[in-house]
Amino acid sequence: MGKYSFEADQSVESSKARGSSLRAHFKHCREVCHNIKGMKLPKAKAYLEDVLQFKQAVAFTKFTGGCGRHAQGKLRNAAGDKVRWPQKATKIVLDLLKNAEANAEMKGLDVDELVVKHSQANRAQKQRRRTYRAHGRINPYMSSPAHIEIVLCKPTEPVKKADTEKPKLTRKQQARKRVTAGGGSA
């Protein structure tokens, strides 16, 4: 079992899943992972299944080169309505999500309450093939696989904000305040 880049608190019950060197475009995997982060588990699964059926789209925020604009982008509040429906990457992330859900059930956690706390995609080592060009030349024909990891956690209670005291004023600010409060001439 490899090391995760995110470790849940000891007090929080969590479940994990990861995949290494998965044959789907890294850039697509990154965008799918970014879209499900923070969602509750049932909502994330429903969303990914809708993406596979082209009912919802994946908003592309970082790798937007050549990405078309579509009306479904308005539903996702995507910048410039840049969205796609990456099938292979979505299937892989959905499988990992189901695996993490099964791991949570084995631990006896309530799967309906779990939240996707951490989901990330990293570039994996490229796999090489070659393509044949004109005049007897050969060029590389590389694939860009990805390492993906997902961590599901129970939602924690938000910490209440402490009562804030008045901010400390510098001597200059105090003097300025005295002058404006006095209102009289010297």
Side-chain angles (χ1 to χ4, degrees):
M1 187 172 141
K3 191 173 180 184
Y4 285 76
S5 66
F6 172 86
E7 286 300 326
D9 295 336
Q10 298 297 333
S11 60
V12 178
E13 296 167 328
S14 65
S15 101
K16 307 178 206 175
R18 67 182 291 152
S20 296
S21 299
L22 302 170
R23 285 295 294 268
H25 294 307
F26 157 71
K27 293 181 179 183
H28 292 178
C29 292
R30 185 264 171 205
E31 299 293 358
V32 173
C33 286
H34 185 73
N35 273 256
I36 64 166
K37 197 179 289 184
M39 284 186 183
K40 285 202 166 190
L41 180 60
K43 186 180 175 187
K45 282 173 58 181
Y47 167 65
L48 293 177
E49 281 161 3
D50 283 350
V51 170
L52 292 175
Q53 296 169 2
F54 298 91
K55 291 180 181 174
Q56 290 197 58
V58 174
F60 274 58
T61 53
K62 188 170 186 181
F63 301 109
T64 57
C67 193
R69 298 163 183 271
H70 300 278
Q72 283 189 13
K74 293 185 189 330
L75 303 175
R76 303 293 310 160
N77 289 331
D81 300 334
K82 293 180 181 176
V83 291
R84 280 183 171 171
W85 299 266
Q87 298 291 300
K88 202 168 176 183
T90 303
K91 279 180 192 159
I92 286 172
V93 173
L94 183 59
D95 285 345
L96 279 174
L97 214 54
K98 287 178 180 173
N99 186 264
E101 181 185 20
N103 293 342
E105 284 175 355
M106 278 297 293
K107 286 184 173 182
L109 302 176
D110 182 18
V111 291
D112 292 334
E113 287 300 311
L114 293 176
V115 173
V116 180
K117 186 76 174 176
H118 170 78
S119 66
Q120 95 175 18
N122 293 330
R123 288 181 198 272
Q125 185 175 7
K126 290 193 170 186
Q127 296 170 329
R128 50 172 63 243
R129 289 181 290 168
R130 49 162 120 184
T131 185
Y132 301 93
R133 308 306 294 266
H135 310 295
R137 291 174 303 131
I138 292 173
N139 279 3
Y141 208 69
M142 313 286 269
S143 70
S144 301
H147 302 310
I148 302 174
E149 56 187 49
I150 294 174
V151 179
L152 306 175
C153 292
K154 266 186 160 178
T156 56
E157 292 295 321
V159 178
K160 289 193 176 183
K161 192 174 182 180
D163 295 331
T164 56
E165 296 178 20
K166 291 182 181 176
K168 290 222 172 189
L169 300 175
T170 64
R171 286 185 177 183
K172 198 173 191 178
Q173 289 171 330
Q174 288 172 347
R176 195 175 289 145
K177 194 173 183 180
R178 277 195 304 272
V179 169
T180 56
S185 60

